[in-house]
């Protein structure tokens, strides 16, 4: 199958899945208890006229199907509706807040890839006491939820030592990096541990393989053995894990953004859920699902590139 | 007026949004001992104010627990928006840091007859975008509150208003359907804000969320980085005393421990609504000073269901009698509070000492009397009955009050079950009758938006929005109506004292404690008022350099 056909097919699948997800997301808001109109009025008695005005404004009285298809149609035009709580277009809310979240996720991902791969590699190659140390450290990391890490990091490095700010995102590149370091570490910690362990296991498996013994017996330099025959072969597993990591990062920002007062989409999702802000919750949910799928697609497309043994067809049946 | 109740995070409950580390154990321990006297409470004193600023300052930063969804004045009824908006948009009248009323954008307000209020406007008041305030702007601004399509948060203030008309270039006349002593007082809150008609119309549906608010206050809206921070810039064309700071930066710190940390490290210079679990930390830091001021707030148990055992006033009385109020103040409010059996704060009555005495004399004692309470439950035939109280981890004031009620019930033969509600869903208790299904009571802190007890006592009128239990008593309604229609403060307060007594006799809610405002200022800055006036008074203009 040609690469193009494969990509097209995956895109089509994505579109269908997104459509299904949109239905579930839109429908789920109906099953949740609570009435957006009552939140809008927030503790005030409303005249029937006011209630009618709100219901008309947000089309709260239309049947489900009508509202669902209107919503889909709007999204097709890039219009996610108007936030009930913020009284502004949801697309603008997202545009305002997405950069913070994406920067945070990007910084965390860099940390996870750099440190996770390094630790896994070193553990597998060095063995012995180094490996044991890494194993223990990564076990602790994997056992530390990001919100706990957030509290610990903030208490030590922001309050006690004063090296970093307690929260916020800062302005300009250097300031942003400085502000986002602690939250990025809090978010990355668990995943660093996970990636390190996956990398280590995958490399150990390769190290035990016959091809490595053959290469070594042929006198291939150890550095080349590790790079070509061990790491590259292990990369497939690592890549799959990396895809999972990006998705996890997107979801876990909710936990860290509040702790560090980063007004990204994670925090927005939390607040919007609180206030029954339907349009906002729906848009963010759909956005996360879409990002999730894009990441998966990229991983699938990269797979044959890093591991020539895998053909596009294999990937389809496998994934 | 139902200004308070959104989530416990709103109204006086804002302190709550805490990711509280719940030391429920502490209260259980406290409750197990004999009831404490108020002398046992940790020392705290109310400050009338903070030292005046010594000079100007370039900028200071301020913590708020949430980002205002919008700064449109007709939607501003919650802490975060009012804390900011009070510096940008001014009202016809002004609430002072001493919680009294003064002329604001109106130089004077007169009522030639009980159904008419005439506002003579201050001349030469400039809007931020350059226009000059006229009667048209006032008529436009107030009419926006009355338009049902706008679903204004302040609509109930205007329910008695017949018409608002311009009667001169700088004169506006409000005609009432019946005399309303509360109306003028609310003109000192956000309900009385005057914005430029042209500015509001030009902004259209985006008014309050982007661009200018085009009001008259000492600060104008600067950069608003959504989700992060909002800047106010000093307005050089201000008619009154110029602000001491060139800029104020509000930072939205939703997590309570993050907020405390930011104050401790100097990442922000100050803030109101300090989480009670952080009082000890902020009291003992060299970074700055923790102040308490008059809050006009009381912590109560709101009775939401009179169909069950609580329908018998003896059971309500018994619960109130069995409550360990001092224990709750010490643990739930971090020691900063005063036990009370009055629904309304003492300071709300300060305009007339006689009325204050009438409102408070003869209220039940604050100390617990378990024997009497047990007997009352027995008399009512309610021994062993089950009641449900809502609670949430929203803040230790909420969760520990629920624990205290449960413990009180256990000691007098009532089985009180706690229903834990997710912090986010707790809001719904105030807005959604379905959310209150199966719940007999929940903790509610209530603050007064004006220095008049009626702001709370109005809740027990038949059909009132917060009258969740459906209490209905014609004599109460008549008295309330009479009080609202009485302009003379002493006369009105004496009627309200009777209402306060009635509400107490019937135990319509169970009052627990008065809760002061909290304020932290670090060493750089000073001058902010300590009272709840900051919701409607341009407090940031008073803040300047401490040295």
């Amino acid at each position: 199958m040609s690469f193009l056909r494969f990509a097209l097919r995956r895109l089509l699948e994505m579109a269908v899945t997104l459509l299904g997800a949109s239905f579930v997301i839109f429908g789920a808001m109906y099953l949740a208890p609570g009435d957006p109109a009552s939140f809008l009025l927030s503790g005030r008695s409303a005249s029937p006229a006011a209630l009618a005005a709100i219901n008309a404004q947000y089309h709260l009285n239309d049947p489900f199907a009508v509202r669902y298809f209107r919503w889909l149609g709007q999204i097709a035009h890039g219009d996610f509706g108007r936030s009930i709580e913020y009284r502004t277009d949801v697309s603008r809310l997202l545009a305002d807040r997405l950069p913070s979240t994406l920067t945070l996720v990007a910084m965390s991902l860099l940390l996870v890839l750099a440190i996770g791969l390094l630790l896994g590699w070193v553990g597998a190659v060095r063995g012995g006491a180094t490996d044991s140390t890494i194993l223990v450290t990564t076990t602790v990391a994997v056992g530390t939820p990001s919100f706990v890490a957030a509290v610990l990091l903030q208490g030590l490095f922001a309050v006690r030592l004063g090296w970093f700010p307690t929260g916020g995102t800062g302005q300009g590149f250097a300031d942003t990096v400085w502000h986002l370091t602690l939250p990025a570490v809090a978010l990355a910690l668990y995943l660093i541990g996970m990636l390190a362990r996956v990398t280590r296991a995958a490399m150990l498996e390769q190290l035990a393989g016959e091809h490595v013994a053959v290469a070594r017996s042929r006198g291939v330099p150890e550095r080349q053995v590790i790079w070509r025959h061990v790491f590259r072969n292990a990369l497939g597993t690592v890549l799959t894990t990396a895809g999972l990591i990006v998705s996890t990062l997107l979801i876990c920002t909710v936990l860290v953004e509040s702790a560090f007062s980063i007004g990204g989409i994670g925090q927005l999702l939390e607040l919007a859920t609180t206030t029954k802000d339907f349009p906002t919750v729906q848009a963010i949910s759909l956005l996360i699902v879409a990002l999730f799928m894009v990441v998966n697609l990229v991983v699938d497309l990269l797979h044959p590139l890093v591991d020539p043994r895998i053909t596009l067809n294999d990937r389809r049946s496998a994934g | 007026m139902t200004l308070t109740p959104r989530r416990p995070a709103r109204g006086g409950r804002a302190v709550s949004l805490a990711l509280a580390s719940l030391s429920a154990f502490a209260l259980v321990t406290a409750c197990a001992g004999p009831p404490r006297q108020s002398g046992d409470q940790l020392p705290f004193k109310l400050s009338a104010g903070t030292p005046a600023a010594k000079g100007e300052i370039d900028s200071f930063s301020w913590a708020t627990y949430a980002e205002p969804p919008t700064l449109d004045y007709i939607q501003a009824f919650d802490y975060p928006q009012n804390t900011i908006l009070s510096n940008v948009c001014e009202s016809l009248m002004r609430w002072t840091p001493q919680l009294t009323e003064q002329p604001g954008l109106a130089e004077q307000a007169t009522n030639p007859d009980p159904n008419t209020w005439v506002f003579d406007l201050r001349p030469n008041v400039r809007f931020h975008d350059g226009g000059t305030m006229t009667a048209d702007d006032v008529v436009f601004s107030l009419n926006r509150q009355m338009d049902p399509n706008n679903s204004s948060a302040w609509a109930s203030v205007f329910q008695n208003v017949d018409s608002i008309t311009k009667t001169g270039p700088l004169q506006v006349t409000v005609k009432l359907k019946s005399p309303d002593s509360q109306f003028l007082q609310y003109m000192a809150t956000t309900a009385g804000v005057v914005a430029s008609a042209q500015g509001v119309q030009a902004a259209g549906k985006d008014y309050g969320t982007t661009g200018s608010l085009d009001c008259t206050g000492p600060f104008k809206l600067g950069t608003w980085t959504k989700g992060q921070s909002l800047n106010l810039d000093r307005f050089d064309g201000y008619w009154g005393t110029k602000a001491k700071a060139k800029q104020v930066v509000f930072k939205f710190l939703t997590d309570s421990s993050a907020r405390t940390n930011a104050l401790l490290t100097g990442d922000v210079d100050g803030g109101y609504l300090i989480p009670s679990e952080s009082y000890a930390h902020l009291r003992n830091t060299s970074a700055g000073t923790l102040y308490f001021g008059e809050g006009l707030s009381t912590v109560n148990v709101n009775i939401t269901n009179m169909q069950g055992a609580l329908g018998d006033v003896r059971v309500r009385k018994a619960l109130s009698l069995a409550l360990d109020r001092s224990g709750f103040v010490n643990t739930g409010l971090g020691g900063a509070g005063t036990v009370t059996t009055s629904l309304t704060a003492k300071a709300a009555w300060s305009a007339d000492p006689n009325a204050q005495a009438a409102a408070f004399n003869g209220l039940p004692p604050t100390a617990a009397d378990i024997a009497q309470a047990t007997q009352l439950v027995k008399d009512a035939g309610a021994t062993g009955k089950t009641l449900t109280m809502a609670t949430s981890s929203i803040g230790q004031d909420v969760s520990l009050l629920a624990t205290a009620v449960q413990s009180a019930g256990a000691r007098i033969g009532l089985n009180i079950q706690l229903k834990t509600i997710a912090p986010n869903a707790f809001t719904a208790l105030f807005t959604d009758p379905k959310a209150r299904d199966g719940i007999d009571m929940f903790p509610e802190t209530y603050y007064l938006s004006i220095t008049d007890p009626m702001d709370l006592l109005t809740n027990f009128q038949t059909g009132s929005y917060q009258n969740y239990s459906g209490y209905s008593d014609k004599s109460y309604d008549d008295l309330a109506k009479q009080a609202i229609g009485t302009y003379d403060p002493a006369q009105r307060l004496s009627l309200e004292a009777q209402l306060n007594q009635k509400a107490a006799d019937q135990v319509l809610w169970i009052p627990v404690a008065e809760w002061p405002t909290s304020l932290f200022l670090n060493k750089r800055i000073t001058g902010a008022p300590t009272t709840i006036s900051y919701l409607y008074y341009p407090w940031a203009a008073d803040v300047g350099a401490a040295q």
Side-chain angles (χ1 to χ4, degrees), chain B residues 235-316:
Chain B
F235 174 46
D236 292 325
Y238 185 52
W239 61 270
T241 313
K242 191 174 76 160
K244 294 195 167 56
K246 286 199 192 104
Q247 192 178 57
V248 191
V249 181
F250 289 91
K251 295 190 179 175
F252 315 135
L253 305 170
T254 52
D255 183 86
S256 74
S257 60
R259 210 155 66 244
T260 305
N261 286 341
L263 290 168
L264 285 169
T265 57
D267 280 354
V268 291
D269 294 312
Y272 285 109
L273 287 166
I274 307 302
S276 54
E277 51 268 42
S278 305
Y279 288 170
H281 255 106
L282 291 169
R283 238 193 268 263
N284 298 322
T285 176
S286 58
T289 312
L290 177 65
Y291 296 94
F292 294 102
E294 181 51 60
L296 294 181
S297 308
T298 47
V299 181
N300 305 284
V301 177
N302 190 327
I303 309 286
T304 52
N305 176 19
M306 295 250 195
Q307 305 304 312
L310 288 179
D312 192 317
V313 67
R314 289 171 293 190
V315 178
R316 305 201 290 275

Side-chain angles (χ1 to χ4, degrees), chain B residues 87-434:
Chain B
N87 300 292
V88 184
C89 290
E90 295 177 296
S91 304
L92 287 172
M93 304 296 287
R94 173 178 282 186
W95 216 24
T96 67
Q98 294 73 40
L99 302 176
T100 58
E101 264 157 35
Q102 272 180 0
L105 291 177
E107 263 181 338
Q108 62 165 355
T110 45
N111 61 331
D113 67 76
N115 283 337
T116 308
W117 277 103
V118 178
F119 294 96
D120 290 305
L121 305 176
R122 202 175 285 281
N124 304 318
V125 172
R126 311 277 292 181
F127 286 116
H128 296 152
D129 290 0
T132 303
M133 181 183 73
T134 67
D136 291 318
D137 296 302
V138 177
V139 171
F140 173 84
S141 299
L142 297 186
N143 272 322
R144 272 190 89 221
Q145 305 266 24
M146 292 180 62
D147 183 347
N149 286 323
N150 290 341
S151 61
S152 155
W154 297 92
S156 60
V157 168
F158 296 86
Q159 62 193 357
N160 232 342
V161 172
D162 196 39
S163 67
I164 300 167
T165 46
K166 171 179 169 176
T167 42
L170 284 174
Q171 193 187 68
V172 172
T173 300
V174 176
K175 288 279 182 193
L176 302 170
K177 292 172 196 156
S178 60
D180 187 343
S181 62
Q182 311 293 296
F183 182 74
L184 185 72
Q185 303 189 64
Y186 281 119
M187 288 303 104
T189 69
T190 306
V193 157
V194 179
S196 153
Q198 201 197 338
V200 175
Q201 279 160 339
K205 65 176 183 148
D206 289 331
Y207 180 73
T209 57
T210 45
S212 162
L213 297 173
D214 213 0
C215 288
T216 63
F219 288 95
K220 56 186 180 183
L221 185 60
T223 320
W224 185 350
T225 312
K226 293 290 164 95
Q228 301 294 338
S229 61
L230 180 152
N231 294 2
L232 298 184
D233 300 323
R234 184 158 72 194
F235 174 46
D236 292 325
Y238 185 52
W239 61 270
T241 313
K242 191 174 76 160
K244 294 195 167 56
K246 286 199 192 104
Q247 192 178 57
V248 191
V249 181
F250 289 91
K251 295 190 179 175
F252 315 135
L253 305 170
T254 52
D255 183 86
S256 74
S257 60
R259 210 155 66 244
T260 305
N261 286 341
L263 290 168
L264 285 169
T265 57
D267 280 354
V268 291
D269 294 312
Y272 285 109
L273 287 166
I274 307 302
S276 54
E277 51 268 42
S278 305
Y279 288 170
H281 255 106
L282 291 169
R283 238 193 268 263
N284 298 322
T285 176
S286 58
T289 312
L290 177 65
Y291 296 94
F292 294 102
E294 181 51 60
L296 294 181
S297 308
T298 47
V299 181
N300 305 284
V301 177
N302 190 327
I303 309 286
T304 52
N305 176 19
M306 295 250 195
Q307 305 304 312
L310 288 179
D312 192 317
V313 67
R314 289 171 293 190
V315 178
R316 305 201 290 275
K317 272 198 177 123
L319 257 186
S320 177
L321 255 180
L323 208 56
D324 177 12
R325 289 180 170 80
S326 320
F328 168 73
V329 167
N330 284 336
T331 51
L333 303 187
T338 323
V339 294
T340 187
T341 46
S342 166
L343 284 161
T344 49
K346 211 159 201 165
W349 304 85
S350 52
D352 183 44
N354 290 330
Q356 191 180 54
F360 282 77
N361 283 349
L363 288 180
T366 53
D369 185 338
I370 301 299
Q372 201 193 336
T374 314
Q375 189 58 45
L376 279 168
V377 173
K378 223 177 257 169
D379 294 347
T383 308
K385 289 239 170 97
T386 298
L387 291 165
T388 305
M389 175 149 187
T391 179
S392 175
S393 61
I394 203 156
Q396 62 180 17
D397 51 310
V398 167
S399 53
L400 294 185
L401 181 54
T403 319
V405 171
Q406 184 179 41
S407 156
R411 298 171 78 190
I412 58 174
L414 290 173
N415 173 23
I416 294 176
Q417 294 193 327
L418 300 188
K419 183 174 175 190
T420 304
I421 294 175
N424 296 345
F426 203 73
T427 316
L429 290 179
F430 297 90
T431 56
D432 190 352
K434 275 175 275 172

Side-chain angles (χ1 to χ4, degrees), chain A residues 188-258:
Chain A
L189 217 53
Y190 160 80
L191 294 166
I192 287 174
M194 188 173 100
L195 186 65
R197 296 174 77 97
V198 168
T199 308
R200 177 181 171 277
M203 285 181 68
L204 282 178
E205 194 190 326
Q206 294 296 326
L207 274 170
E210 269 180 38
H211 62 290
V212 171
V214 170
R216 277 178 176 155
S217 69
R218 278 203 199 137
V220 177
E222 184 66 11
R223 187 172 289 217
Q224 268 191 39
V225 172
I226 300 290
W227 179 248
R228 279 204 194 145
H229 300 279
V230 177
F231 185 68
R232 281 204 60 178
N233 287 345
L235 208 51
T237 317
V238 171
L239 190 64
T240 309
T241 314
L244 210 68
I245 282 171
V246 177
S247 319
T248 313
L249 283 174
L250 280 171
I251 291 162
C252 287
T253 51
V254 179
L255 299 171
V256 170
E257 283 182 12
S258 273

Side-chain angles (χ1 to χ4, degrees), chain A residues 18-32 58-60 62-75 80 278-283 285-286:
Chain A
L18 259 182
L19 196 68
S22 74
F23 183 79
V24 173
I25 287 167
F26 198 81
M29 292 303 284
Y30 282 83
L31 298 177
Y58 291 92
H59 308 288
L60 296 175
D62 289 352
F64 176 80
V66 173
R67 291 170 66 179
Y68 174 62
F69 284 108
R70 183 190 297 119
W71 181 64
L72 272 191
Q74 284 173 344
I75 290 176
F80 287 94
F278 283 48
T280 308
V281 174
Q282 287 162 344
S285 310
L286 202 62

Side-chain angles (χ1 to χ4, degrees), chain A residues 45-106:
Chain A
S45 22
S47 64
L51 207 60
I54 287 170
N55 282 328
Q57 199 178 344
Y58 291 92
H59 308 288
L60 296 175
N61 285 336
D62 289 352
F64 176 80
V66 173
R67 291 170 66 179
Y68 174 62
F69 284 108
R70 183 190 297 119
W71 181 64
L72 272 191
Q74 284 173 344
I75 290 176
H77 293 96
D79 173 11
F80 287 94
R82 209 166 154 75
S83 159
I84 292 177
E85 172 79 358
Y86 290 88
R87 320 247 162 164
T88 179
D89 290 339
V90 173
S91 45
R92 204 169 69 199
L93 273 182
L94 295 181
D96 283 339
R97 287 158 192 267
L98 209 51
S100 300
T101 302
L102 292 183
T103 313
L104 177 63
V105 167

